[in-house]
Amino acid sequence: SSIPTQLGQMSEMASYFQVNSNSMSSTIPTQLGNMVEMASQFSLKSNLLCSDVPTQVQALSSRVADWAISTGNEFLGTICPTPSPTALPTAVSPDPSPLPTTPVPSPLPTLMPTLLCRSGTYLDATTGCTDCEIGRFTNNSAGPPFPTNCALCPFGRYNIRTGQDTCDDCASGKYSSDDRSSCDDCPAGTYVHNHELCQSCESGKYSPQALEDACLDCSKGFYTGVSEGATTCSSCDGGTYSEGLATNCSTCPAGTYSGSSSSSCTNCDAGKFSDRGASSCTNCAAGTWSNASSTECSNCSLGTYTSATGSHTCEQCSSGYFAPDRGMTFCYKCSAEFGLEYTSTEGASSCNQCDQYHYMWKRKCVKKPEGVDKRLFPSTLTTLALEEGWYRFSGSSVDVYRCPSPQNCIGGTIDSNNSTSKSLCRLGSGGALCAICDANYFLSSERGCLECSGGSAWLSPLIIFVILAVLGGAFVKCKERIKAWESKNRDWLPSFGYKLIAFMISMQIIVILKSNHESVGGRSMEEPYSSFVDLVSFVNMDVSGLLPLNCLRKDYFDHFDKLIATTLFGPLVVLVLVVGFVHPKWGTPASRTKAKKDVEVIFIKFLLFVYPSISRTICQSFRCSDYDNGEHRLLAADMSIECGLRNRYWAMFVYANLSLFVYSIGIPLLLFSSLFKWRHELNPPGFEDEGRAIKTRMKNKAMLADPIVSFAIRYRP
């Protein structure tokens, strides 16, 4: 059976035209080409269709999805067979004629044809062997039966002449027309697929002209610019890249670059940077640097610089130079910017050091004061190293002080893990200016704090005691000789004794003046006078300086103890000794009167002798020294006593005022008043002759009986 031609009248049908598995054995009607609205599901599968697909029907395939004709129709493209002629006559008379009377007829014709059609022709019932039309062919080399029509040239082949027994191949990139009369060109951007149709180039491929079976690959570093049907493959611009078969080029990320036609991006070298899509990397400017693959350059940090472009690191400023800002292209010289005393460490952002004669404080170079070791530098206020014999109260102290006992101050720096005393004072000493000896240590004026158990504590006092004992023993043993010598020299000896006392008191005053002058910062006495005054300094009668009194008690023997011993204990002991010395003379009234006078005279002589020393000790109880701008206020004579802060200071202050009234004011006032009442007797009026005046006052028994007069009677009226 054949496909009805009337089906072609369904021109409005859009989908699902299916005539499958119906053993249709005819050609496809050309009328089906009128179904121009078809968009999907056009199927004639699994039939016995033959001959070529009509051009009108084939044209529908370009717009119909799910086109299925050739499947199951293996005879498509071949000549449909014609039925073979039968041997029987086509018609028989119902009634046979009578037997002929004529001779027997000739035999029937055979089935073999009497014509031979060559290749390129077909057998037409009317015209016989006829040439094939253009675009068709036959191959009759096998002999009859001969085809009744010519076959259409296969896809990809054509012929342009009639009567052809074969078809020519289309050139590469061309496909055969529907009637196979010619080969048409596929447009650029396509390729010929199975010689049947033009297929657009896939993504990443291109064809500048139609190609056979496939398009060209767009290689690395190039792109097509469209998703399909590309006609060109263009080079990627600088700053972009492709890895092949690319529709578009990818942009290089920041920190990389690429030239034209690049298949990948290259990391920027150290010292360079790039933005996104860069075709080259840019050198970092002077004062900046970068690592490899950097998107930007970093400024040189403080204390570093770079003067060149394209730097991958910054150089540290040399010693003596500094870079105060980020991104510096050079370093400033400290000595040129601030002064010759300024310098710096390597890689400094400021002039953070000073030369050996200065130290750094509050970012300024300050001249090192006297007592600071100039050999150790660079120095800051905290790290100042002191010379031996000097002291400072803390690491933040700007003032340096000379130690009263230089041997106690070992110098150096203040250790942050230790106290100031442990850092600057030698073993056995401590306190402010290392002037306080620890327990079991005593202060030596020449050697500082010494250990009591060292053997030298009592050596000097022992020597003095031995000397005094020897002199006392000699005095007792030679008592009669001394008395005889005293009697023999009675004319000048008393006067000499008083002159000796006056000399000793004068020397005491000189020694005290020198000591006071130097203690308040005065200039030292010139040589050789300074050495001479030091040699006779024993006249001060400073017993506390001669005896290691600190070894006799656990507590420190301070100035308050010394004040009490000087003003109270010392005179009391002397008075007892004097009384004991003259006691044997108290036998008769006359001897008692004389002994009383002797005691008074000796005690007054003693007071006059020790008066400067006692007054000095009393006055030392009032003078306080300020250190570190008043942060520390200490008694100048004893650094262990803080002025105004403790009860012991106020007790000492009250006692010193009482002693001042008794000794420094009371004794001179008492002596003055005692002598004032004898002023006329000591200097008799009306005498022009000095000798007569002296004889007259020597006759006044009442005046001579007063012990105080013995001190004035030696002087002329």
Side-chain angles (χ1 to χ4, degrees), residues 446-594:
E446 295 181 356
R447 300 168 60 190
C449 292
L450 301 176
E451 192 173 3
C452 293
S453 59
S456 60
W458 294 97
L459 180 61
S460 296
L462 182 61
I463 294 175
I464 294 174
F465 176 78
V466 170
I467 293 174
L468 293 177
V470 171
L471 292 177
F475 179 79
V476 172
K477 184 177 181 180
C478 302
K479 182 178 180 180
E480 296 301 328
R481 292 182 180 180
I482 292 174
K483 284 184 177 181
W485 182 81
E486 180 183 3
S487 177
K488 183 179 179 180
N489 298 285
R490 184 173 297 175
D491 293 338
W492 63 271
L493 192 59
S495 176
F496 175 79
Y498 285 106
K499 290 179 180 180
L500 180 62
I501 292 174
F503 172 78
M504 295 291 286
I505 293 173
S506 299
M507 291 307 303
Q508 283 182 337
I509 294 173
I510 293 174
V511 171
I512 291 172
L513 285 175
K514 177 180 181 294
S515 176
N516 290 342
H517 180 71
E518 292 179 353
S519 65
V520 296
R523 184 178 177 182
S524 299
M525 186 178 291
E526 298 292 339
E527 294 291 347
Y529 305 105
S530 179
S531 298
F532 172 75
V533 173
D534 292 339
L535 182 65
V536 298
S537 60
F538 65 89
V539 299
N540 267 339
M541 300 297 293
D542 187 5
V543 179
S544 62
L546 298 176
L547 300 178
L549 300 177
N550 212 37
C551 296
L552 299 177
R553 51 188 294 177
K554 294 182 179 180
D555 297 333
Y556 179 69
F557 190 86
D558 62 7
H559 181 78
F560 191 14
D561 298 323
K562 177 181 178 181
L563 177 65
I564 294 174
T566 302
T567 58
L568 186 62
F569 183 73
L572 182 62
V573 171
V574 173
L575 180 61
V576 170
L577 292 176
V578 171
V579 171
F581 178 75
V582 300
H583 180 267
K585 298 182 179 180
W586 285 15
T588 63
S591 63
R592 286 197 299 272
T593 300
K594 185 177 184 304

Side-chain angles (χ1 to χ4, degrees), residues 179-231:
D179 59 2
R180 309 299 192 267
S181 63
S182 64
C183 290
D184 296 330
D185 291 327
C186 283
T190 65
Y191 66 96
V192 179
H193 180 62
N194 294 331
H195 300 289
E196 298 178 7
L197 52 87
C198 296
Q199 184 74 39
S200 294
C201 292
E202 296 89 346
S203 176
K205 297 188 177 185
Y206 76 103
S207 64
Q209 59 185 18
L211 300 175
E212 188 78 23
D213 294 331
C215 294
L216 299 174
D217 289 342
C218 195
S219 60
K220 295 180 180 180
F222 293 80
Y223 73 104
T224 62
V226 293
S227 60
E228 63 178 14
T231 60

Side-chain angles (χ1 to χ4, degrees), residues 289-338:
W289 66 281
S290 72
N291 292 319
S293 305
S294 292
T295 61
E296 60 181 359
C297 297
S298 302
N299 286 326
C300 290
S301 59
L302 300 179
T304 63
Y305 78 102
T306 173
S307 58
T309 60
S311 297
H312 65 275
T313 185
C314 296
E315 299 180 33
Q316 289 188 335
C317 292
S318 303
S319 177
Y321 292 79
F322 71 105
D325 300 316
R326 299 181 186 277
M328 294 289 291
T329 59
F330 64 94
C331 297
Y332 294 104
K333 189 173 184 179
C334 290
S335 59
E337 297 296 324
F338 298 104

